[in-house]
Structures are given as C-alpha cells and as structure tokens.
Amino acid sequence: MSKRPWGYQPRSERPDPNWTLDPQTQAVRAGLARSGFGETSEALYLTSGFTYSNAEEAEEAFIDETDHFVYGRFGNPTVAMFEQRLAALEGAEFCVATGSGMSAMFASVACLVKAGDRVVASASMFSSCHVVLTEILPKWGVTVELVKGNDPSAWAKALSTPTKAVFLETPSNPMLDIVDIKMVSDLAHKVGATVIVDNVMASPVYQKPLQLGADVVMYSATKHIDGQGRVLAGAVLGSFAYMQEHFLPFFRHTGPTISAFNAWILLKSLETMQMRVEKMNASAQEIAEFLETRKEVKSVRYPGLKSHPDYALTQKQTGGAGGTNICIELNGNKKDAFAFVNRLVLIDISNNHGDSKTLITHPASTTHKRLSPEVQAEMGITPSVLRLSVGLEASVDLIKDLTQAFKS
Ligand SMILES: *Cc1c(COP(=O)(O)O)cnc(C)c1O
C-alpha cells in the first residue's frame, strides 16, 4: 500500500490486515478517508491550499508531508483517496494521479532520463506517446530506439546495451499488437532499465504489469477508469523507491496535477469499473466473432480471437481477455471505410475509447494522422482500418447497427 497515511482513520483499517480483499471490494473501499462528518460517499475537497495552527506546525509539515497536506499541486485529500484506491487495485506501492494520460506518460519517462541516455520502446503505440519519444526527448539529447513489439530477437538486440528506460504499450492502440511484458522486463533488467507499461488498452481489470515484472504502470484514466466520457486524467504507479527518487521530484515542480474534482469523479468510476469492463469485453468478443464472418471485412484484429497472432500470449497475459477495442480492416479503400462509418446510426464517430458509448474512428485520418504515412504503414494502419471501441449498449443492438451499415 501507498505510504501516504493522510486522513487515514481507524475504521478504514478494518478488516484486519491479513484479510485479502477482493479487487471489487477494494474498488469500493480502498483509500476511503472520511472526514469528521462521517459522509457515506467520498468528500470532494476543492481547496488549493491548507492551513496550520502555528508556524511550527507549518515547518513540521514541510519536512516530510506525511501527516499534513501543504499545497494542491503536491497533494489533496480527494486525490489521495483516488491514488490509494487505484494503488490497491494495481497492487502498487505508490500511485500518483495526473491531469491527463499524456502528462502521466511524459512524466513517467522524462523523470528518469538526461541527455545521453537511451530509451527503447515498442514501435506500435498511441501517436502522442510516439511524438514524445521520437520528437521531444531526442531534442533534449535522449536517444530513442523503437523495436517491433512482438519480435523477441529485436528486443534482445536492442536490450544488449545499457538502457535507462523501456516504454511499451500492450495491446497497442489501434492495431492491438501484444508485447510479452515478462520477456521484455527480464531482458531490460539485465541492462539496468526501468520498464514502463502503458496499460491503457488492457485496463487495470485484465492486465497487471507489475506482477509480470514491469516497474511502472501508467494510465490514461480518461479511458476505462472514468469510462463515461466525462474527465481527462492519468495515473502513474510503481515502487516507493521509483516515486521518491525519480517521479515525485519531477512531478512536484513541473505541475501535471489532477484537479480534485476530476479525482472525485474517478473515485466513483472505480466503484463500477470492473463490471463495466467485463461487460464491454464480453460484448467486444461477441462482436469480433461476428465481424470475422462478414465478407465486407478483410481482417479483424482482436486478441481474444484465435486468428490473432498473439492469441496464446493473450491467454497468459490477460487471462484471455481481448479488451474493449476491435481493429477492423475493411475490404476497400478510405472512401469505403468512411461510407461504412457514415452509415452507422447508433455507434458514434469519436476518437475516444474505453467509454460506455460505443465509438468508432478511422485512425489514419484522426488519432494517428500526426504520424507519417511510412510510420502508419509500419504500424499496419491502412486507409481501410477502423477502430471500434465497444461500450455498454446491448451487443444485439450494436450488431444490428453494424449489419445495417454493411448491407446499405
Ligand atoms: C488515450 C491514450 C493515451 C493518452 O491519454 P490522455 O488522457 O488522452 O492524455 C495514452 N496511451 C493510450 C494507449 C491511450 O489510448
């Protein structure tokens, strides 16, 4: 558990420490720190600052900040409740919430590196992460090498020289490539690298990178953690040592802080996350199987399908859960892909994902437009690729909508 005892009250220490709570119970209970009013729901503390009864107490508070909040940029009671709850779910020693997934990603890597250092990353990833690694960090003298995520020999080669950090995304957005977290972590640790996993696509429900050997996990909480299209947020989780030595000194002074209001929304979201993600996964599996039967579809990439090249690894790494996104390559060109999307009546056109509403996007012209055609091609993003994020509607209605869009 996180070593931030702020606001902890005797009641929250029950049940006894030897009682291992089920994740669903932790999603409702972990981190709960009630005020003196005994409110049922977590309190929302909208305050930027904190007061002290005397100057000595203020001085004391600045020494280690363990029993007194000092400033909203560093911490807030509502934010701390969210951090402790997510840490409990992830099995991490420490969690820091951030204002967005990208601020989490950037800070998690940037806090480790200096000019001359080397970073190795999987080539297939969310486009903003790609920009951070291939454009921003190199500007500051950091060398970044990208490797094909599902090629063990490429990882072995890249991780045969000293490396400061490894960044990987699995499944990748949008092509759903799978990286073997354990294999990469073992190789990375031999050359002293810290392994950071973007666990957004799998969600905290189905993939536990820290248990597989990774050192740090980052989330865009905008996706499944909120999962209801309301707030932008992120989180970084890892060991107490990584946080104290690297992450917190960077975070505190660069300010990617989450708002207390958004953290409060996320606290409530976590209570239902497992149920939402399980339902969305089950529907996605059903829809992926349906799509594979359609002649209009050239290929379906979904880690829960036997046709996925890393189906076996998925069984091992996520217990077989394929996730809530499906990557569809249609027969035809960009015009055909656009026409199909435009015929959908229920499914919304939107580039977000992990949402309760089912959303579809054309990555080549939206989320991954920022990348060059060559990089897009390398990732497998062709003009007829669509990414479908399956939501909470009844799958029967989603299949009906897809069917009518095919038929028209
Ligand atoms: C959305 C996303 C991010 C960025 O998160 P924001 O909350 O939009 O900043 C990073 N990685 C992946 C895989 C994502 O899908």
Side-chain angles (χ1 to χ4, degrees):
M1 272 295 288
S2 154
K3 286 210 180 136
R4 281 187 176 181
W6 301 312
Y8 254 135
Q9 300 183 359
R11 260 194 84 88
S12 65
E13 285 165 15
R14 297 192 304 172
D16 81 68
N18 298 322
W19 181 350
T20 311
L21 292 173
D22 184 271
Q24 178 52 40
T25 307
Q26 287 180 320
V28 177
R29 293 281 171 174
L32 179 60
R34 292 192 167 120
S35 77
F37 294 113
E39 65 282 353
T40 315
S41 176
E42 294 73 10
L44 169 54
Y45 294 92
L46 282 179
T47 180
S48 46
F50 301 87
T51 62
Y52 315 90
S53 350
N54 50 56
E56 289 76 15
E57 193 182 296
E59 182 184 36
E60 190 70 20
F62 270 76
I63 294 172
D64 64 2
E65 292 173 30
T66 48
D67 53 5
H68 205 305
F69 290 96
V70 299
Y71 189 50
R73 173 154 34 87
F74 309 149
N76 169 286
T78 307
V79 173
M81 283 191 265
F82 168 64
E83 290 169 337
Q84 293 197 354
R85 187 164 294 179
L86 190 58
L89 288 175
E90 195 72 41
E93 285 178 2
F94 209 101
C95 171
V96 179
T98 60
S100 69
M102 282 320 301
S103 58
M105 182 272 169
F106 178 67
S108 70
V109 182
C111 73
L112 286 170
V113 294
K114 61 179 186 315
D117 282 343
R118 183 164 175 275
V119 174
V120 173
S122 54
S124 222
M125 67 180 113
F126 184 65
S127 81
S128 293
C129 300
H130 196 273
V131 171
V132 167
L133 292 174
T134 61
E135 296 179 33
I136 297 176
L137 292 182
K139 248 186 2 194
W140 298 332
V142 176
T143 313
V144 179
E145 186 181 332
L146 300 184
V147 302
K148 201 167 178 315
N150 60 0
D151 181 352
S153 62
W155 282 107
K157 186 157 173 281
L159 293 173
S160 59
T161 44
T163 306
K164 196 76 193 188
V166 169
F167 181 84
L168 66 93
E169 180 180 310
T170 181
S172 68
N173 182 359
M175 295 310 293
L176 308 176
D177 293 337
I178 308 292
V179 181
D180 188 332
I181 298 172
K182 183 164 187 321
M183 180 269 293
V184 174
S185 300
D186 289 347
L187 288 170
H189 292 152
K190 286 193 189 128
V191 289
T194 298
V195 178
I196 302 159
V197 175
D198 181 336
N199 205 36
V200 172
M201 299 294 277
S203 90
V205 178
Y206 285 119
Q207 186 166 271
K208 305 278 184 207
L210 300 177
Q211 289 173 15
L212 296 166
D215 303 293
V216 177
V217 174
M218 60 126 298
Y219 285 107
S220 162
T222 318
K223 312 296 164 52
H224 307 89
I225 294 177
D226 174 36
Q228 289 148 92
R230 300 169 298 187
V231 301
L232 219 70
V236 178
L237 299 107
S239 69
F240 196 62
Y242 164 80
M243 290 296 175
Q244 292 303 319
E245 283 166 38
H246 304 287
F247 191 84
L248 284 175
F250 185 92
F251 168 87
R252 292 164 59 84
H253 305 293
T254 54
T257 311
I258 188 175
S259 84
F261 180 76
N262 287 359
W264 179 79
I265 298 266
L266 297 173
L267 267 166
K268 308 315 290 176
S269 305
L270 280 180
E271 297 182 343
T272 58
M273 176 179 67
Q274 184 177 323
M275 288 162 273
R276 287 185 282 105
V277 173
E278 280 174 359
K279 163 83 174 140
M280 286 153 71
N281 259 264
S283 295
Q285 179 73 35
E286 189 186 337
I287 291 167
E289 285 168 13
F290 157 76
L291 288 167
E292 259 195 337
T293 67
R294 297 296 307 200
K295 63 178 188 323
E296 298 87 347
V297 175
K298 187 172 166 197
S299 65
V300 182
R301 263 180 100 85
Y302 184 69
L305 291 178
K306 288 216 170 78
S307 56
H308 191 285
D310 285 311
Y311 176 78
L313 178 55
T314 301
Q315 299 302 307
K316 215 171 66 183
Q317 200 154 269
T318 66
T324 61
N325 278 283
I326 304 169
C327 187
I328 312 162
E329 185 165 22
L330 294 178
N331 282 315
N333 51 26
K334 177 179 172 184
K335 205 167 137 260
D336 299 311
F338 272 31
F340 174 75
V341 165
N342 289 340
R343 284 194 297 265
L344 292 165
V345 293
L346 187 63
I347 297 168
D348 289 313
I349 305 169
S350 173
N351 42 282
N352 198 4
H353 71 93
D355 198 270
S356 55
K357 302 224 171 14
T358 299
L359 311 172
I360 198 161
T361 195
H362 180 255
S365 61
T366 61
T367 54
H368 289 66
K369 183 182 169 61
R370 175 76 175 68
L371 304 179
S372 70
E374 297 77 51
V375 173
Q376 285 191 16
E378 239 164 68
M379 288 190 187
I381 304 171
T382 71
S384 60
V385 162
L386 297 170
R387 189 196 69 197
L388 181 70
S389 166
V390 178
L392 286 175
E393 303 93 337
S395 55
V396 59
D397 287 321
L398 297 173
I399 289 175
K400 212 184 262 186
D401 195 19
L402 292 163
T403 304
Q404 66 79 25
F406 279 132
K407 278 197 183 132
S408 305

